[in-house]
Structure formats: C-alpha cells, structure tokens
Amino acid sequence: MTDRHAESAGATVPGVPADDTPPRAARAEPGPAERDPAGPGSAAPGSAGPADGLLPPLFARLERWTRDQPDETAVKAFDGTLTYAALTARTARYATALAGAGVGPETSVGLLLGRSRESVPALLAVWSLGGTAVPLDPAHPVERLGRVLRDAGAAVLVAPEVPTGLEPRGITLLAPADVRRSAPGALAVSVPAPDSCSYLVYTSGTTGRPKGVEVTYRGLDTFVDALGTLGLPPGGLGLNAVSPAFDGWLWCTLLYLAHGQGVALTDLSLDGLRQAAAEGREPLPAGLRTVSLTPSLLAAHGAGIDTAEVVVVAGEACPAALAERFARGRRLLNVYGPTEVTIAATWSDSRRGDDVTTIGRPLPGYRAYVLDEELRPVPAGTEGELHLGGPAVARGYRGRPGLTASRFLPDPFQGGGTRMYRTGDVVVRRPSGELEYRGRRDDQVKIRGHRIELGEVERIAAELPEVVAAACCPLSSGQTLGLAVVAAPGADPAGLADLVVERCRKQLPAAAVPATVRVLDRIPTLSTGKADRQALAKALAEPERTPGTAVAAQGAGPTTSERIVMAVWADVLATDVTGPDADFFELGGHSLAAARAVSELRRVTGLRVGLGALLAEPTARHFAAELDRLSAEREATATATATDPADPADPADPAEGA
C-alpha cells in the first residue's frame, strides 16, 4: 500500500548521494553497541573520519549540515539566531545539563520555551539522551499545563521561569540561562530503543481532559527518513508559526532541519500580532524560502510570502481556489496526518503532478487503507474510513488502555503483531491512488488548524453546577466554536455565559474557547436525541435579543466607512455587527480573523491600513476613522501632485521675464 517514488530526494543538491543518505559520523569513543550489537550505542556528531556506528536519522542530518554549512542559520527567533554550529554546541550544553538532572531513556521532560531559539536545542538534547519530550505552550492555561505535566510524569521542566499559578511539585526546573553558562562539550547521541517514547503530544479528549499520544523513536526515525525524500534545497529560512505544544511545530522544525534550512520561529497568535504591530514590523519574517501554514493562515497571511519557493498546507482541508492560487509559479504540498501516526502520513506534491486539493498518497514507510465498518477494503471511488499503518503508528494514549485498544487495531493486512490507527476520517481513493478527504465520522473538528473534540468543551462547561446541559458546534465561518448551555433549576441565567467562558479559558487552548456562548431554554436535538449541531449553529449565528435594549437615535446611523467596516467584519466573523461601537474581539474575532479582515478591507478600499489599527482599538468606529484618515491623506497627496507644475518655468511671475 505504500508508494515509494523513484525521484531522488538528493538530486537537487550537488554532492549528495542519490538516496539522500547522510555521511556517517564517527564515534567519539566506543559505545555500548560495539560491545553489544543489540544494545544502545552513542555517536558524536561533528567528528571526522569514517564511522562504524549509525546515528539516528535526525542527528545524521544535523551532523551533515553542521559539517557542510556551519555558519548558515539553523534557528531564527525573537531572541536571536543560532547557526548550525551553534545549534549543535547548544544542544550539547542542554544534553549535559539534562543528563546531570537524571534524564535518560523515557524520562519525561517538559519543554516550556515558547518560540524562543532555545526550544530547538532543548528538544534535540532530550532526544540525544533517549528521553521523552513533552512540548508545552506558555499561552495555554496553567491548569492545563499542570494537568499535562502530571499526566506525563515529567521529571524535569525546561523553562525560563515557572508561570504564576503552576506548581510543578517534584519536578526539577532547568533554566536556559543556567544551561548557557555551563561548560561546552561534544554532543554524544544515544541510540534509543526503537519502541521507547520519543515525545508526548496532548490532543483534545472526549472525556474532558487532554490525552497524551506516545510516539516512538521508531516512528520518529521513519518520519525523518520520509522527509528526506522531499528534496528541498538547503539554505534560507522556513516558516514555523505553529503552537509549540502541537506536532505541527515538530513538522516545521524537522522539515527544515532535515534539509539544511533555518527554522524561523514566528508567532501569528493575537499576542504575536500585537507585538509585531507595536514594534512596527510585519508579522512574517522577510526572505522565507519555504512556508508551512494551515490553509486558513495561508489565506490570511499569503501576501507576505512572495519569496517562498515551496508552500506546504497542512492541518485543514485545502480549498481548491487556495491551492490553485499558491501553486502558481512554485511548488505546493498538501500534507495530512494525525498525531497518532507521527506527525504526517500522506502528502500530495505539485512537482510530482499530483492534484494538490487531495491529501495525496502515503509517505515512504507508511500504509493507507480505506475500509468499511467491517474493516474490509472498499473499491476505488467509494467512501470509507481511512486507517493508517506502518512503523510510525504511535504506541497509544498514555494511561488510557481502553481508548488505545479502540483506536489502535491489529493490522490484518500485515500481520506479525503490527497495528493500524483508525483515523475517523472519511476518504475516497481515486483510481490514480490519490486520497480525497471527505470529512469526519465523529464529533472531532478542526478550528484554525487545532484538533478539538466538541465533547471536551461540552464536558468542561457542564462541570459547572449552574449548567445542566451543554452543546458545542463549529460556527458557520469554520474558524470559531459556539456553545449553548441550559441553566440548572434555581441558577441565575444572567452572567452564566461569562462564567462558562471564564472556565473554558482556564481549561482549554485559545482555539477551543467558544467565541459565542448562549444560555438557552433547551438544546435543539435530532430524532435520535443527540444535539442537532446544524440547528444549533444557525441559532447561535442569530443576533442575541436582549429585552430593553435601547433603540439608536434617528439620524445617528453609521458613516459610509463604518458601514464598509461592519460589512467586512460581519462576513469574516459570520455574525451580525450591530453598530459602529461593536468590538471585533468581543464578536468572536481572533488573530486569524483579524488578519483576514484587514486584508479584505485593504482590497475593498485600496488603502494600506495596518493590522495595528485594529489591534490597538478594535471597534468599527475607530477602524473606520483610520480609513478616513488614510483616504484624506491620499486625496491631499493627489491634489498636491496635480497642482505641482510640470515645468518649473511655467508659473513664472511676469516680472521675472521683464
């Protein structure tokens, strides 16, 4: 079932072997594997001469680029850059510090470094020791961070400081400042047991608590080897704008490092956009060579990637119009993959002639089956559920044997104890072999590229004693969630929506916090008794009618500019904008919607209004005033240009000619 492509990944890189196999690195000293071929070993990237031992694929590539282009940028972030030589040296420092803290095989290490340049060497250091990386996002609520650290059994937390409210009892804190002051040394890489856990990524769970996916080193090596077949050119920058807590961040980081590009860590969240506006810079760095974004982010920020030679879309279904737009004159890849099969599983590639509106074919080493409910293959052109197999299938969910057994099934097509993952995604296999995504079988949704179980949001809301029922649904824009709750008998409905939102903000990532929360008398249901999410979305999209709301005075209607702004906001947010004093973010706006709204208003008005104007004071009235100011400046410039003499002698005073 796996498609392997004859095209050489290294053909575009002079001097690279045709199979893109990196040169072998020498060991600094004999490792245990030399004494016991079945046991773990170690190797040292950067040492010269032939080697008897093998580095894991990722470190073999790091060794190659450190040797071939030591002064090229490997990591670029808000707090500085690291060259490939500096990245390897910094990784060695972290590895020494982590080993001193007791980190070894399967020791869980929390990484709470945000988008700092320190995040990459810290991750690599954990892997060099065979440990288990637990990536975290400082923007997540502290309650969620604490729950993840406890569930992961983290022994060490790498962070500049402990966030207020987080109590990492029994966990050793390792600060980057202390690591940088430690003595330098060579990087020795352990060869971990293939089935040990390389990292834990926590995804949304139907039980109301996140579930940790245990990805093995075998899966990580399989994935990195598959990346090598892409054949990106070395040098330049690749964009990583993903939350550091999700495996999309790993996708971007490993994609670029495997090919000798620099990882440009960028924050496109609301806080990141505000910071960029305050500093007077564009959100995206200049000179990007490769860009990987969700289709939603690409649509919002695509104007800033003119230099990109390769564009990767992932995390959401890619609309045909968007694929066509960004495939012009460049290479486009559409990548698909659940966390449970090590980051990515299939891709389509315009350079290969694929239809990039599909999710393509399996990566090398991966298998894809389209099956019916009895786990039998369906004919080409028939819908079925996608199941994924191969060595990259994860170990399962940490501490959740029942859930693991229900989603990770024996692979009947391979046997030998192999397993496949039941994705819940409905696809059609075309006669060409390409897979066409058709949607989900369950209540899982993607919001701005984040995988969210609607049941998790509902359960967190229903844990409030004032709530007796809750139902969640994606709103019509597809970029935000709506939530309806029913108040418990005797509970005061007034203020209940705010209480629910507050609880969700404390428990959930930003993308999972409902943009609209309403208190209803009842939840609309289907004949089965389940929530009618389609009817609910329609009800939540209607403006809320509050008794006693004052009627606007006659003659005080919005200006032309205000009406333009309100119309665009209504379209972007898929909700009514009731007046010029409406607040963009209170209406459910977020960073992605803000970028889209500004982009659309630039197109409609022809004015180069900045994102900072919306972030500074997000009312339609204020934004319209900024448009009026820019329009007046443009008219004044045009008037001045029209009255300027074409020839300085034309308006000469008659006396000058006397």
Side-chain angles (χ1 to χ4, degrees), residues 579-631:
D581 291 317
D583 186 291
F584 183 84
F585 298 107
E586 290 179 0
L587 291 170
H590 45 81
S591 58
L592 175 59
R596 288 179 56 207
V598 171
S599 177
E600 180 63 12
L601 283 163
R602 285 179 176 180
R603 186 190 68 80
V604 170
T605 65
L607 299 168
R608 298 296 296 174
V609 63
L611 185 59
L614 175 57
L615 300 174
E617 191 174 334
T619 65
R621 189 185 303 280
H622 179 270
F623 199 86
E626 177 66 9
L627 291 176
D628 290 339
R629 184 186 68 80
L630 292 173
S631 179

Side-chain angles (χ1 to χ4, degrees), residues 233-545:
L237 293 176
L239 178 68
N240 185 347
V242 183
S243 162
F246 299 112
D247 58 351
W249 188 92
L250 296 176
W251 158 266
C252 293
T253 299
L254 299 181
L255 172 66
Y256 307 138
L257 291 183
H259 289 93
Q261 296 188 1
V263 184
L265 298 168
T266 306
D267 189 357
L268 295 181
S269 70
L270 191 55
D271 287 342
L273 295 178
R274 283 174 171 153
Q275 183 68 25
E279 295 173 359
R281 58 178 173 82
E282 291 296 321
L284 296 179
L288 292 169
R289 193 171 193 181
T290 305
V291 166
S292 186
L293 290 169
T294 64
S296 298
L297 281 171
L298 183 62
H301 297 282
I305 64 165
D306 293 340
T307 61
E309 301 168 22
V310 179
V311 172
V312 181
V313 290
E316 298 171 329
C318 184
L322 191 71
E324 180 183 358
R325 172 185 168 192
F326 285 97
R328 294 187 196 127
R330 58 164 65 96
R331 184 181 179 190
L332 179 71
L333 292 109
N334 188 351
V335 178
Y336 161 89
T339 302
E340 289 84 350
V341 291
T342 314
I343 305 172
T346 72
W347 60 42
S348 57
D349 184 353
S350 65
R351 191 176 75 175
R352 198 169 59 192
D354 296 338
D355 179 352
V356 288
T357 65
T358 73
I359 58 174
R361 302 176 176 87
L363 279 64
Y366 290 67
R367 301 184 185 95
Y369 313 117
V370 185
L371 309 177
D372 63 17
E373 293 182 358
E374 302 298 324
L375 301 184
R376 297 172 302 195
V378 301
T382 303
E383 285 189 353
E385 184 175 354
L386 180 61
H387 293 67
L388 298 167
V393 173
R395 217 161 58 175
Y397 301 111
R398 172 151 295 199
R400 311 282 283 278
L403 183 60
T404 297
S406 69
R407 301 305 294 266
F408 293 86
L409 311 176
D411 186 339
F413 308 102
Q414 294 298 313
T418 59
R419 296 174 310 140
M420 61 183 183
Y421 173 66
R422 183 177 185 176
T423 68
D425 289 323
V426 178
V427 300
V428 167
R429 189 188 298 277
R430 294 181 176 179
S432 64
E434 294 168 299
L435 296 167
E436 183 180 329
Y437 177 78
R438 292 288 180 88
R440 292 286 305 172
R441 282 199 186 280
D442 54 24
D443 292 335
Q444 189 184 103
V445 297
K446 281 286 186 79
I447 298 295
R448 309 198 295 276
H450 297 270
R451 194 169 111 184
I452 294 167
E453 296 276 2
L454 298 177
E456 179 178 13
V457 183
E458 292 167 352
R459 282 171 174 78
I460 284 175
E463 286 173 358
L464 287 168
E466 296 88 349
V467 174
V468 293
C472 186
C473 64
L475 297 180
S476 57
S477 67
Q479 300 300 321
T480 55
L481 293 175
L483 179 69
V485 297
V486 177
D492 183 5
L496 181 54
D498 292 338
L499 191 63
V500 170
V501 170
E502 181 183 1
R503 178 170 178 78
C504 289
R505 284 176 177 160
K506 288 181 178 179
Q507 301 275 349
L508 297 167
V513 176
T516 299
V517 176
R518 296 274 177 84
V519 180
L520 303 181
D521 294 331
R522 65 177 186 85
I523 303 293
T525 58
L526 301 166
S527 58
T528 60
K530 294 183 178 181
D532 185 342
R533 301 190 193 279
Q534 187 173 0
L536 182 62
K538 185 176 180 180
L540 293 177
E542 296 176 355
E544 190 168 17
R545 306 299 179 187

Side-chain angles (χ1 to χ4, degrees), residues 15-96:
V16 178
D19 62 354
D20 202 22
T21 302
R24 303 303 186 196
R27 286 183 180 165
E29 58 186 32
E34 294 179 350
R35 298 186 294 273
D36 177 8
S42 64
S47 41
D52 298 323
L54 300 179
L55 283 167
L58 176 59
F59 287 98
R61 284 165 172 75
L62 178 62
E63 188 274 344
R64 171 187 171 183
W65 299 119
T66 301
R67 183 194 64 219
D68 292 352
Q69 50 178 42
D71 298 325
E72 289 291 323
T73 297
V75 183
K76 179 182 176 65
F78 69 90
D79 55 353
T81 62
L82 292 172
T83 63
Y84 269 92
L87 173 60
T88 296
R90 187 67 58 85
T91 300
R93 289 179 187 264
Y94 271 99
T96 299

Side-chain angles (χ1 to χ4, degrees), residues 134 144 148 151-152 200-204 210-213 245-246 398:
V134 185
R144 182 183 178 91
V148 166
D151 189 78
L200 266 168
V201 164
Y202 281 79
T203 67
S204 181
K211 56 184 186 290
V213 181
F246 299 112
R398 172 151 295 199

